[in-house]
Amino acid sequence: MAAAQVAGSLPSGPAQEAQREPPLEQGRGFRCLSARLCALRPDDSSSSRTEIHLLFDQLISENYSEGSGVAPEDVSTLLVHACRLVPLNQNHLVSKLSQLIHHLLNTLQVIVDEQNLDFLLAYTISAIQQCSSWTHMQILQALAALVYCNGSKCQKYLPDLLGKSGLLMKLSDLAQSDPEVRRAAVHCMANLCLSVPGQPYLEEPYQNICFQAFLTTLQSPKSSDMDDITFCMLLQNALKGIQSLLNGGKMKLTQTDALGALLAVLKKTMFHGLPGLNIEMPTVLYPTPLPQCDGRPPIKPQQTESSTSRPAVNKRKKSKVKVKKIQQGEEEEEESSGEREVAPVTGSGRLNPHKGDTQCPSSLGVPSLPLAGSGAAGKDQVSSSFSSSIWKRVSSSESDYSDAEGGMQSKVRSYQAKVRQGALACFLSTIKSIEKKVLYGYWSAFVPDTPELGSPQSVSLMTLTLKDPSPKTRACALQVLSAILEGSKQFLSVAEDTSDHRRAFTPFSVMIASSIKELHRCLLLALVAESSSQTLTQIIKCLANLVSNSPYNRLKLSLLTKVWNQIKPYIRHKDVNVRVSSLTLLGAIVSTHAPLPEVQLLLQQPCSSGLSNSNSATPHVSPPDWWKKAPSGPFLEEATVSSPKVSSEPCWLIRLCISIVVLPKEDACSGSDAGCTGGSTYEPFPLRLEALQVLAHLARGYFSMTQVYLMELGEVICKCLGEADPSVQLHGAKLLEELGTGLIQQYKPDSSIAPDQRVPVTLVVMFWTVMLNGPLPRALQNSEHPTLQASACDALSSILPEAFSNLLSDRQILCITMLLGLNDSKNRLVKAATSRALGVYVLFPCLRQDVIFVADTANAILMSLQDKSLNVRAKAAWSLGNLTDTLIVNMETPDPSFQEEFSGLLLLKMLRSAIEASKDKDKVKSNAVRALGNLLHFLQPSHIEKPRFAEIIEEAIQALISTVLIEAAMKVRWNACYAMGNVFKNSALPLGTALWTSQAYNALTSVVTSCKNFKVRIRSAAALSVPGKREHYGSVDQYAQIWNALVTALQKSEDTTDFLEFKYCASLRTQICQALIHLLSLASASDLSCIKETLELNGDMVQSYIIQFLKSGTERDDTGAPHSPQERDQMVKTALEHISSVQTLAGDTSKRAIMGFLEDILTVYFDPSGSQVALLGLTNRCPGF
């Protein structure tokens, strides 16, 4: 269709005719024959039939080379006219016409237009209905070619084809006597299911009909009258149809039986024809964490003896050159030269590969793999190339093989391999169409587990990886396993293998740990045995996926050590894909659960450790010191003097990555180095980028080792930022950001790094001076590459505050000026990164008291808050929150000059912007309410007295109240409660007398008693305990409402249906008890009767929780509550002292009752052995408490 449209739109004229002249010459034979055929008129004479036969034969035998100049519309017109010439009672002519339709559409790659398709479909359907059965095979082939990529245009014929008595349903039925006709009918159905992007999918009822037909086909055994090749092609077509439904049709497998049935046939089919295996599967697989019986027949004793008597040897077959014919809907693909003999199945069901095999194939039928490291895009490319390569147009012709090419046995093996690959492709599509949590119910059916002593290993995806003779099938199995492992971190996190389990049953956690260990063992076996570079790459990528998702902190040591030692030789493999994936795996090791002590030791290994290992298939290892040509620079000597000596042993991996990035390559790129460009003196780009990613992982997880190379890495970053390639610059900027973040972490107040082990501030200043004097400013100004600009902004925001204050003033000004200037960028990535960087800088101690800088930053942030991009507004709101934090810090300093100089008009603008932002999306709202709380806290009496502030204050508080109450994200409500607490801290606000007081307290009491999230409850209880005076709580009724709400909240502190909330129960009770004691310490005489009534009803419960609060540990919760025992019991004593001082009317028993309640608490709390303290001289006790 596309070709027809393009051809039809070309302008006419001499020039255009000249351009089209060669194709016209090429297509002259077709046009002559077409003209002769179109000149004929329907005639039932014998001579006419003979002439039509002759023209059909000539059209079929015509040589249609690429670019033959035949227009698609000409082909469609010819076929329509041919159908008009051939009556349906002429079986031989109908058969020849069907061959012509199939041949022309396949050879010329023509998709028939809708108008002609309608006529041709009607003709072929009538032909099947009326012609003899021996013609059905050819007619079905023609029908398959017609409906290919045209399924959405066949709607009106679907009842005739797929209805209850539809032609394809009858012909594909198990009762069909002719196996070739049955295969062709299934092929037609598969082509009908193939959808084209942008066109409607097959309707759901027909999808279900086809799915069931394909499933039945796959479940049915081979009939006695069907040969092996036909059966393989039948299975291929059924698998292709299911994959088309899952991919293009977006079919959802929501029913357990349908999914289980599909997985059962896929598991069976993925081992189809594999030598040494013949498994029987149940009709349906059901989700279970336990291993499932695969019904494999027992191994014969003589096989075991023979297999153990000789080693299994990897063999290569000679490279075969095959002529590949591309036809409609089916394909023949050549197997590569990397085939290997399958080791006979031993008693344990395991492969014993010969480790010395170093042969590598020259070519493979595996889809070419993307060279870009471990990114998500790379993974997507691999999957899509795999999926699309399996289902090209498969030829049904048997002429692709000859006796010289291996004979019938070789041909059958090739077809069987195609079935296994098709099953794996279909499995990959199935994985993408279901949720991971559903998939993991079938984990044990496809992922190996450590076999029990004496029992064979169950068949799994690793069986194919280790034993399949086809390298392409091995690669496909590894891609499926990678897809299963991807995103499995949460599922695998339950694994537990840190202690011996001697129980009557195997816990689920131990079973998963056993499966993880077996995956490591099998993949490392496959790594050693593999001879194909492309499949080797898939093994290493699969290992990287496994490493990224495995919980090594819960497993026994040595798993990572084995992977580490096995992969090191492949760092110098001749194939660039293998080298890149090896670095990806090393990056996964140093980033998983970092820092791990096991990995720390591996990084400190001597440089040559493991690099001379000969276990790999084709590692090309240079001398151990090949990477020691360290880059030198004018400041390295000085840096070495002042750098802390954290490790006496240099980290070989850092040295390796630095050398890959900066040193020229030692020899010319091999033929497989796809990343090489003519004249390039460095390693291929993908390898250099992956090395930079590994350095970034090391800086993030093992900074104590990376810091030794700080200045050397600075040179690497400068070199990367100075290169022309934006991707190298980008990775250099990312590495700079990670190094900066690592330095900041060292100097945090809660850092566990000893001061003498930190990088000295002087060295950090030197490092950043080099960065700012180098190419970093140019990267910040590179408007042609906004992603690089944004990354450079992120890097600039990672500067250590202590180092920034020691930079030269012109460097400080450079940083500030560039950030404020970039805030005007039109690119949303740059603007978001700049907004965030300004939010970091405004917290710097050397800048936060600079009124001009804070005001400039505020104006820049307020401008970004109006941006159309949600991401920009979210970053700006976060920065506004930080800026208001700075206002609070400045307010708490003795010097009042900042408050006096800061513009009241700017404060008003900030309040208005924050109020508007609080109505935005949750990402913006959460920080907008934080800013509102800080701003209302910062307001001075001079501001509050002004009339123009009164209305905005009321509006801001109403915005907070509504945010506390709305059903928003819990982070938003938490921040709103926190902000409300900040508002209560401003004694200048009319808290207690203003109309909004009761609304604010009502909102908080509602949350503390009923919010599903306990962290929000904790924060609301903390806010209720902020006011420092009784009058701030308003009327007696208001006080009573707050008191009763807190008692109710304490009573309901364990009422939750969410198991995850239980861990916050203790913190919630702690905060509520603190709030109750605080309220007691402020109570007036009018409040005592309400308190007494509550204690009469719930006194025992409240008393027990307060005693628990006094005795609880010293953990600090997120509210900043006092956490020492002395502070806690002092709160109760203070409350008791206050109650005793309250003047009450004669005869009022409330005071005595409350005092007795508190005294009882202190009595129980203190040691009953006699070391009780005098309770402040208060001896009045109430016997009722």
Side-chain angles (χ1 to χ4, degrees), residues 386-425:
F386 165 42
S387 302
S388 62
S389 67
I390 298 297
W391 303 124
K392 289 179 184 174
R393 301 179 172 186
V394 184
S395 170
S396 60
S397 169
E398 297 184 5
S399 62
D400 295 343
Y401 291 86
S402 66
D403 293 339
E405 293 174 328
M408 184 57 68
Q409 189 177 6
S410 173
K411 181 179 178 182
V412 170
R413 282 203 304 268
S414 179
Y415 269 97
Q416 289 171 339
K418 290 286 174 291
V419 172
R420 297 196 295 274
Q421 292 157 24
L424 290 166

Short mmCIF file of all heavy atoms in Angstrom, two decimals, residues 386-425:
data_model
loop_
_atom_site.label_atom_id
_atom_site.label_comp_id
_atom_site.label_asym_id
_atom_site.label_seq_id
_atom_site.Cartn_x
_atom_site.Cartn_y
_atom_site.Cartn_z
N PHE A 386 14.47 -9.62 18.50
CA PHE A 386 14.21 -11.05 18.66
C PHE A 386 12.81 -11.38 18.19
O PHE A 386 12.59 -12.30 17.42
CB PHE A 386 14.43 -11.41 20.13
CG PHE A 386 13.87 -12.73 20.54
CD1 PHE A 386 14.00 -13.86 19.74
CD2 PHE A 386 13.24 -12.86 21.77
CE1 PHE A 386 13.50 -15.07 20.14
CE2 PHE A 386 12.74 -14.08 22.17
CZ PHE A 386 12.88 -15.19 21.36
N SER A 387 11.84 -10.59 18.64
CA SER A 387 10.45 -10.89 18.30
C SER A 387 10.19 -10.80 16.82
O SER A 387 9.49 -11.61 16.24
CB SER A 387 9.52 -9.94 19.06
OG SER A 387 9.74 -10.05 20.44
N SER A 388 10.77 -9.78 16.19
CA SER A 388 10.46 -9.57 14.78
C SER A 388 11.22 -10.53 13.88
O SER A 388 10.77 -10.84 12.79
CB SER A 388 10.79 -8.12 14.40
OG SER A 388 12.18 -7.88 14.58
N SER A 389 12.38 -11.01 14.36
CA SER A 389 13.18 -11.86 13.48
C SER A 389 12.59 -13.24 13.33
O SER A 389 12.79 -13.91 12.34
CB SER A 389 14.60 -11.97 14.02
OG SER A 389 14.59 -12.68 15.23
N ILE A 390 11.84 -13.70 14.35
CA ILE A 390 11.34 -15.07 14.31
C ILE A 390 10.27 -15.23 13.24
O ILE A 390 10.18 -16.25 12.58
CB ILE A 390 10.77 -15.44 15.69
CG1 ILE A 390 11.87 -15.39 16.75
CG2 ILE A 390 10.14 -16.82 15.67
CD1 ILE A 390 12.98 -16.38 16.51
N TRP A 391 9.44 -14.22 13.05
CA TRP A 391 8.25 -14.39 12.20
C TRP A 391 8.37 -13.62 10.89
O TRP A 391 7.53 -12.82 10.56
CB TRP A 391 7.00 -13.94 12.95
CG TRP A 391 6.81 -14.66 14.23
CD1 TRP A 391 6.68 -14.12 15.45
CD2 TRP A 391 6.73 -16.07 14.43
NE1 TRP A 391 6.52 -15.09 16.40
CE2 TRP A 391 6.54 -16.29 15.80
CE3 TRP A 391 6.79 -17.17 13.59
CZ2 TRP A 391 6.42 -17.55 16.35
CZ3 TRP A 391 6.68 -18.43 14.14
CH2 TRP A 391 6.49 -18.62 15.49
N LYS A 392 9.45 -13.78 10.19
CA LYS A 392 9.48 -13.25 8.83
C LYS A 392 8.69 -14.21 7.95
O LYS A 392 8.14 -15.19 8.41
CB LYS A 392 10.93 -13.13 8.38
CG LYS A 392 11.66 -12.01 9.11
CD LYS A 392 13.10 -11.92 8.67
CE LYS A 392 13.85 -10.87 9.46
NZ LYS A 392 15.28 -10.86 9.15
N ARG A 393 8.69 -13.96 6.69
CA ARG A 393 7.83 -14.77 5.82
C ARG A 393 8.49 -16.11 5.54
O ARG A 393 9.51 -16.19 4.87
CB ARG A 393 7.56 -14.00 4.54
CG ARG A 393 6.89 -12.67 4.86
CD ARG A 393 6.62 -11.85 3.63
NE ARG A 393 5.80 -10.69 3.98
CZ ARG A 393 5.32 -9.85 3.11
NH1 ARG A 393 5.55 -9.99 1.85
NH2 ARG A 393 4.58 -8.83 3.51
N VAL A 394 7.89 -17.16 6.07
CA VAL A 394 8.49 -18.48 6.02
C VAL A 394 8.07 -19.19 4.74
O VAL A 394 6.89 -19.21 4.40
CB VAL A 394 8.06 -19.31 7.25
CG1 VAL A 394 8.75 -20.66 7.25
CG2 VAL A 394 8.38 -18.54 8.51
N SER A 395 9.02 -19.76 4.10
CA SER A 395 8.72 -20.46 2.85
C SER A 395 8.18 -21.84 3.13
O SER A 395 8.62 -22.53 4.03
CB SER A 395 9.99 -20.57 2.01
OG SER A 395 9.79 -21.42 0.93
N SER A 396 7.23 -22.23 2.35
CA SER A 396 6.72 -23.60 2.46
C SER A 396 7.42 -24.51 1.45
O SER A 396 7.12 -25.68 1.36
CB SER A 396 5.21 -23.61 2.23
OG SER A 396 4.93 -23.11 0.95
N SER A 397 8.30 -23.93 0.68
CA SER A 397 8.97 -24.72 -0.35
C SER A 397 10.02 -25.62 0.27
O SER A 397 10.67 -25.26 1.23
CB SER A 397 9.63 -23.78 -1.36
OG SER A 397 10.48 -24.51 -2.21
N GLU A 398 10.20 -26.80 -0.28
CA GLU A 398 11.20 -27.72 0.22
C GLU A 398 12.47 -27.66 -0.63
O GLU A 398 13.40 -28.42 -0.41
CB GLU A 398 10.65 -29.15 0.24
CG GLU A 398 9.46 -29.30 1.19
CD GLU A 398 9.00 -30.73 1.27
OE1 GLU A 398 9.66 -31.60 0.68
OE2 GLU A 398 7.98 -30.98 1.93
N SER A 399 12.53 -26.76 -1.59
CA SER A 399 13.68 -26.70 -2.47
C SER A 399 14.84 -25.94 -1.85
O SER A 399 15.89 -25.82 -2.46
CB SER A 399 13.28 -26.03 -3.80
OG SER A 399 12.87 -24.69 -3.53
N ASP A 400 14.63 -25.41 -0.63
CA ASP A 400 15.71 -24.66 0.01
C ASP A 400 16.82 -25.59 0.49
O ASP A 400 17.87 -25.16 0.91
CB ASP A 400 15.18 -23.88 1.22
CG ASP A 400 14.19 -22.82 0.78
OD1 ASP A 400 14.20 -22.51 -0.42
OD2 ASP A 400 13.42 -22.33 1.63
N TYR A 401 16.56 -26.87 0.53
CA TYR A 401 17.52 -27.84 1.02
C TYR A 401 17.91 -28.79 -0.10
O TYR A 401 17.13 -29.10 -0.98
CB TYR A 401 16.94 -28.66 2.18
CG TYR A 401 16.75 -27.85 3.42
CD1 TYR A 401 15.58 -27.12 3.60
CD2 TYR A 401 17.73 -27.80 4.39
CE1 TYR A 401 15.39 -26.37 4.74
CE2 TYR A 401 17.56 -27.05 5.54
CZ TYR A 401 16.39 -26.34 5.71
OH TYR A 401 16.21 -25.58 6.84
N SER A 402 19.13 -29.26 -0.04
CA SER A 402 19.56 -30.28 -1.00
C SER A 402 20.31 -31.35 -0.24
O SER A 402 20.65 -31.19 0.93
CB SER A 402 20.49 -29.65 -2.06
OG SER A 402 21.69 -29.22 -1.45
N ASP A 403 20.57 -32.47 -0.92
CA ASP A 403 21.28 -33.56 -0.27
C ASP A 403 22.65 -33.12 0.21
O ASP A 403 23.16 -33.57 1.23
CB ASP A 403 21.42 -34.75 -1.23
CG ASP A 403 20.06 -35.37 -1.53
OD1 ASP A 403 19.15 -35.15 -0.70
OD2 ASP A 403 19.93 -36.04 -2.55
N ALA A 404 23.28 -32.22 -0.54
CA ALA A 404 24.61 -31.75 -0.17
C ALA A 404 24.59 -30.92 1.10
O ALA A 404 25.61 -30.71 1.72
CB ALA A 404 25.21 -30.93 -1.32
N GLU A 405 23.44 -30.42 1.50
CA GLU A 405 23.35 -29.56 2.67
C GLU A 405 22.90 -30.30 3.92
O GLU A 405 22.44 -29.71 4.88
CB GLU A 405 22.39 -28.40 2.39
CG GLU A 405 22.92 -27.45 1.34
CD GLU A 405 21.88 -26.39 0.98
OE1 GLU A 405 20.68 -26.70 1.05
OE2 GLU A 405 22.29 -25.29 0.63
N GLY A 406 23.06 -31.58 3.93
CA GLY A 406 22.78 -32.29 5.16
C GLY A 406 21.65 -33.27 5.07
O GLY A 406 21.44 -34.04 6.00
N GLY A 407 20.90 -33.24 3.99
CA GLY A 407 19.84 -34.22 3.83
C GLY A 407 18.64 -33.94 4.71
O GLY A 407 18.52 -32.90 5.36
N MET A 408 17.77 -34.91 4.72
CA MET A 408 16.49 -34.75 5.41
C MET A 408 16.66 -34.59 6.91
O MET A 408 15.96 -33.81 7.55
CB MET A 408 15.60 -35.96 5.10
CG MET A 408 14.19 -35.84 5.69
SD MET A 408 13.33 -34.36 5.12
CE MET A 408 13.09 -34.79 3.38
N GLN A 409 17.61 -35.31 7.51
CA GLN A 409 17.79 -35.24 8.96
C GLN A 409 18.20 -33.83 9.39
O GLN A 409 17.69 -33.28 10.37
CB GLN A 409 18.84 -36.25 9.40
CG GLN A 409 18.92 -36.39 10.93
CD GLN A 409 19.92 -37.46 11.35
OE1 GLN A 409 20.61 -38.01 10.51
NE2 GLN A 409 19.99 -37.73 12.64
N SER A 410 19.10 -33.24 8.63
CA SER A 410 19.52 -31.87 8.94
C SER A 410 18.36 -30.91 8.77
O SER A 410 18.20 -29.97 9.57
CB SER A 410 20.68 -31.48 8.01
OG SER A 410 21.00 -30.12 8.19
N LYS A 411 17.55 -31.16 7.75
CA LYS A 411 16.41 -30.28 7.50
C LYS A 411 15.41 -30.37 8.65
O LYS A 411 14.89 -29.35 9.13
CB LYS A 411 15.75 -30.68 6.19
CG LYS A 411 14.55 -29.84 5.80
CD LYS A 411 14.00 -30.33 4.47
CE LYS A 411 12.76 -29.54 4.08
NZ LYS A 411 12.18 -30.03 2.82
N VAL A 412 15.14 -31.57 9.15
CA VAL A 412 14.21 -31.75 10.26
C VAL A 412 14.74 -31.05 11.51
O VAL A 412 14.00 -30.38 12.23
CB VAL A 412 13.97 -33.25 10.53
CG1 VAL A 412 13.20 -33.45 11.84
CG2 VAL A 412 13.20 -33.87 9.37
N ARG A 413 16.04 -31.21 11.79
CA ARG A 413 16.63 -30.56 12.96
C ARG A 413 16.49 -29.05 12.89
O ARG A 413 16.22 -28.37 13.88
CB ARG A 413 18.11 -30.95 13.10
CG ARG A 413 18.34 -32.32 13.67
CD ARG A 413 19.72 -32.44 14.29
NE ARG A 413 20.78 -32.11 13.34
CZ ARG A 413 21.40 -32.99 12.57
NH1 ARG A 413 21.07 -34.27 12.64
NH2 ARG A 413 22.33 -32.61 11.72
N SER A 414 16.67 -28.52 11.68
CA SER A 414 16.55 -27.07 11.51
C SER A 414 15.11 -26.61 11.78
O SER A 414 14.88 -25.60 12.44
CB SER A 414 16.98 -26.68 10.10
OG SER A 414 16.84 -25.29 9.91
N TYR A 415 14.15 -27.37 11.25
CA TYR A 415 12.74 -27.01 11.47
C TYR A 415 12.39 -27.12 12.96
O TYR A 415 11.64 -26.30 13.50
CB TYR A 415 11.83 -27.93 10.65
CG TYR A 415 11.52 -27.38 9.28
CD1 TYR A 415 12.24 -27.78 8.16
CD2 TYR A 415 10.51 -26.45 9.11
CE1 TYR A 415 11.96 -27.28 6.89
CE2 TYR A 415 10.21 -25.95 7.85
CZ TYR A 415 10.94 -26.36 6.75
OH TYR A 415 10.65 -25.85 5.52
N GLN A 416 12.90 -28.13 13.63
CA GLN A 416 12.63 -28.29 15.05
C GLN A 416 13.21 -27.12 15.85
O GLN A 416 12.60 -26.65 16.82
CB GLN A 416 13.20 -29.62 15.55
CG GLN A 416 12.42 -30.83 15.04
CD GLN A 416 13.11 -32.15 15.35
OE1 GLN A 416 14.32 -32.19 15.60
NE2 GLN A 416 12.35 -33.24 15.32
N ALA A 417 14.39 -26.68 15.46
CA ALA A 417 14.98 -25.52 16.13
C ALA A 417 14.12 -24.28 15.94
O ALA A 417 13.95 -23.46 16.86
CB ALA A 417 16.39 -25.26 15.60
N LYS A 418 13.52 -24.16 14.73
CA LYS A 418 12.61 -23.03 14.48
C LYS A 418 11.40 -23.08 15.40
O LYS A 418 10.91 -22.06 15.86
CB LYS A 418 12.14 -23.06 13.02
CG LYS A 418 13.22 -22.73 12.03
CD LYS A 418 13.55 -21.25 12.04
CE LYS A 418 14.73 -20.96 11.15
NZ LYS A 418 15.98 -21.50 11.66
N VAL A 419 10.90 -24.27 15.65
CA VAL A 419 9.76 -24.40 16.56
C VAL A 419 10.16 -23.95 17.96
O VAL A 419 9.42 -23.21 18.63
CB VAL A 419 9.26 -25.87 16.58
CG1 VAL A 419 8.20 -26.05 17.66
CG2 VAL A 419 8.69 -26.24 15.22
N ARG A 420 11.32 -24.39 18.42
CA ARG A 420 11.78 -23.99 19.76
C ARG A 420 11.94 -22.48 19.86
O ARG A 420 11.55 -21.84 20.83
CB ARG A 420 13.08 -24.71 20.11
CG ARG A 420 12.95 -26.21 20.18
CD ARG A 420 14.12 -26.86 20.88
NE ARG A 420 15.39 -26.70 20.19
CZ ARG A 420 15.84 -27.50 19.23
NH1 ARG A 420 15.11 -28.54 18.84
NH2 ARG A 420 17.02 -27.29 18.68
N GLN A 421 12.51 -21.89 18.80
CA GLN A 421 12.67 -20.43 18.80
C GLN A 421 11.32 -19.72 18.78
O GLN A 421 11.12 -18.71 19.44
CB GLN A 421 13.52 -20.01 17.59
CG GLN A 421 14.97 -20.46 17.68
CD GLN A 421 15.64 -20.54 16.33
OE1 GLN A 421 15.23 -19.87 15.38
NE2 GLN A 421 16.68 -21.36 16.22
N GLY A 422 10.37 -20.27 17.99
CA GLY A 422 9.03 -19.68 17.94
C GLY A 422 8.33 -19.76 19.28
O GLY A 422 7.65 -18.82 19.71
N ALA A 423 8.50 -20.89 19.99
CA ALA A 423 7.89 -21.03 21.31
C ALA A 423 8.49 -20.01 22.29
O ALA A 423 7.78 -19.42 23.10
CB ALA A 423 8.09 -22.45 21.82
N LEU A 424 9.78 -19.81 22.20
CA LEU A 424 10.44 -18.85 23.09
C LEU A 424 10.01 -17.42 22.76
O LEU A 424 9.81 -16.59 23.67
CB LEU A 424 11.96 -19.00 23.00
CG LEU A 424 12.51 -20.30 23.60
CD1 LEU A 424 13.94 -20.54 23.15
CD2 LEU A 424 12.43 -20.26 25.12
N ALA A 425 9.86 -17.12 21.47
CA ALA A 425 9.38 -15.79 21.08
C ALA A 425 7.97 -15.56 21.60
O ALA A 425 7.63 -14.48 22.09
CB ALA A 425 9.41 -15.65 19.56
#
